Amino acid sequence: MKSAKSKKKALTPKIFVANWKMNKSYDDSVLFARNHINDLAQTILQTGHTVIICPNYLAIAPINAMLGSSGPMLGAQNCSRHGFGSYTGDTAASSLAQAGCRYVLIGHSERKRFYAETSIDLEHKLKEALKAELIPILCIGESEQEHAEGRTREILEAQLAHQLEIINAAPTQPTTYFIAYEPIWAIGSGITPEPHDLFVIFHWLAEFCTRKSPVAYKLLYGGSVKPANAASILATKHLDGVLIGSASLEFASFDSIIKADLLS
Ligand code: PGA
């Protein structure tokens, strides 16, 4: 018979998105899935949480072939701003959906920084994601300087406003969209915002999204989420989950982040 502890369900289902970036090879991505899909499915059953893995493009289809209906789901780290055609090296949102993705990250700060993605690119990508019926995970966040100048809210508002208009005007409105607030200065730095600052941002984000769009949304935080800080970050009011980079690469740390509220 199972103990009462092992039966305990998390009080509020949360969302955990693993962004592997280009940190795992094709072989390592497939091996991670082969070794840990069942363990993750078990954790999902135990906690009631949602888990989404964003591997590199090539690993999406083989990992999808290993997934069951109640385990983790797949997301893409990016998609083309075009729907179809002669765009050498690009991958369309519709192909990502066909390969097994249900989600797509749009506008991660590394895409803006290393590939000069503009807000116009992101708007096209969002439209393509919606056409392909992928749930967009809109990444937003301010730089260290903007943070120091107290301009966070103004920056986030500018990044989001037009994207929400696109969601509202979509021919087929999505059932939901996600926003991942990732302060650029927190990504990979080991630094996270103070709990009160997170509270203020997410309180504002919830109010802003409710006011600007009738579509349901989920709010995530990303940037140096680790097993040691996950429970306190997840306790932030209005926060529905986290987007995890480096701490999602090893199963043990990813799993303990997902179980943070059970372990705390
Ligand atoms: P990090 O990355 O968890 O390694 O800071 C987060 C992200 O870039 O999404």
Side-chain angles (χ1 to χ4, degrees):
M1 207 176 106
K2 281 187 179 169
S3 71
K5 195 166 182 201
S6 69
K7 274 191 190 166
K8 186 175 147 190
K9 280 255 182 191
L11 292 178
T12 319
K14 300 278 187 193
I15 299 157
F16 296 82
V17 183
N19 177 13
W20 287 350
K21 310 188 181 183
M22 208 173 72
N23 287 315
K24 277 189 190 296
S25 67
Y26 171 83
D27 283 350
D28 288 345
S29 304
V30 173
L31 191 67
F32 180 103
R34 192 171 294 133
N35 289 342
H36 300 301
I37 286 292
N38 288 343
D39 300 330
L40 280 174
Q42 198 52 42
T43 297
I44 290 166
L45 202 66
Q46 192 186 353
T47 58
H49 293 324
T50 296
V51 175
I52 300 160
I53 296 176
C54 304
N56 67 55
Y57 282 171
L58 284 175
I60 289 167
I63 294 180
N64 186 49
M66 293 180 221
L67 295 180
S69 56
S70 56
M73 291 179 280
L74 284 169
Q77 298 173 16
N78 180 33
C79 69
S80 174
R81 58 174 273 164
H82 305 286
F84 185 73
S86 301
Y87 300 100
T88 302
D90 242 1
T91 302
S94 55
S95 296
L96 295 167
Q98 286 166 3
C101 288
R102 292 178 58 182
Y103 299 84
V104 60
L105 299 181
I106 299 203
H108 190 283
S109 61
E110 286 155 12
R111 298 291 317 168
K112 294 179 191 154
R113 179 170 168 213
F114 299 120
Y115 303 95
E117 283 189 0
T118 64
S119 54
I120 306 288
D121 291 324
L122 306 189
E123 287 161 17
H124 285 291
K125 287 178 185 219
L126 175 57
K127 286 180 189 163
E128 290 306 322
L130 295 174
K131 270 193 240 161
E133 296 185 17
L134 291 173
I135 295 174
I137 305 177
L138 307 172
C139 301
I140 57 170
E142 82 287 7
S143 68
E144 192 168 10
Q145 187 177 341
E146 290 158 347
H147 176 70
E149 290 168 357
R151 296 174 55 215
T152 300
R153 208 181 277 195
E154 169 202 334
I155 297 296
L156 302 188
E157 186 163 345
Q159 290 175 347
L160 266 184
H162 202 195
Q163 301 211 5
L164 296 191
E165 281 170 22
I166 290 171
I167 287 175
N168 293 345
T172 315
Q173 268 198 356
T175 51
T176 185
Y177 66 94
F178 290 11
I179 292 176
Y181 168 56
E182 300 202 289
I184 297 169
W185 48 272
I187 295 176
S189 66
I191 303 167
T192 53
E194 294 298 324
H196 181 71
D197 292 344
L198 277 184
F199 168 78
V200 170
I201 294 283
F202 281 94
H203 184 80
W204 170 77
L205 268 176
E207 184 275 323
F208 183 78
C209 293
T210 307
R211 185 158 45 85
K212 293 284 182 187
S213 172
V215 180
Y217 58 84
K218 298 283 183 194
L219 302 179
L220 314 181
Y221 167 80
S224 297
V225 176
K226 309 279 178 219
N229 61 21
S232 90
I233 290 172
L234 285 161
T236 308
K237 198 169 170 207
H238 299 296
L239 188 80
D240 299 298
V242 284
L243 176 51
I244 311 145
S246 58
S248 71
L249 297 172
E250 297 295 330
F251 172 73
S253 71
F254 186 43
D255 194 57
S256 57
I257 290 172
I258 303 169
K259 288 177 178 157
D261 55 353
L262 292 183
L263 301 173
S264 64

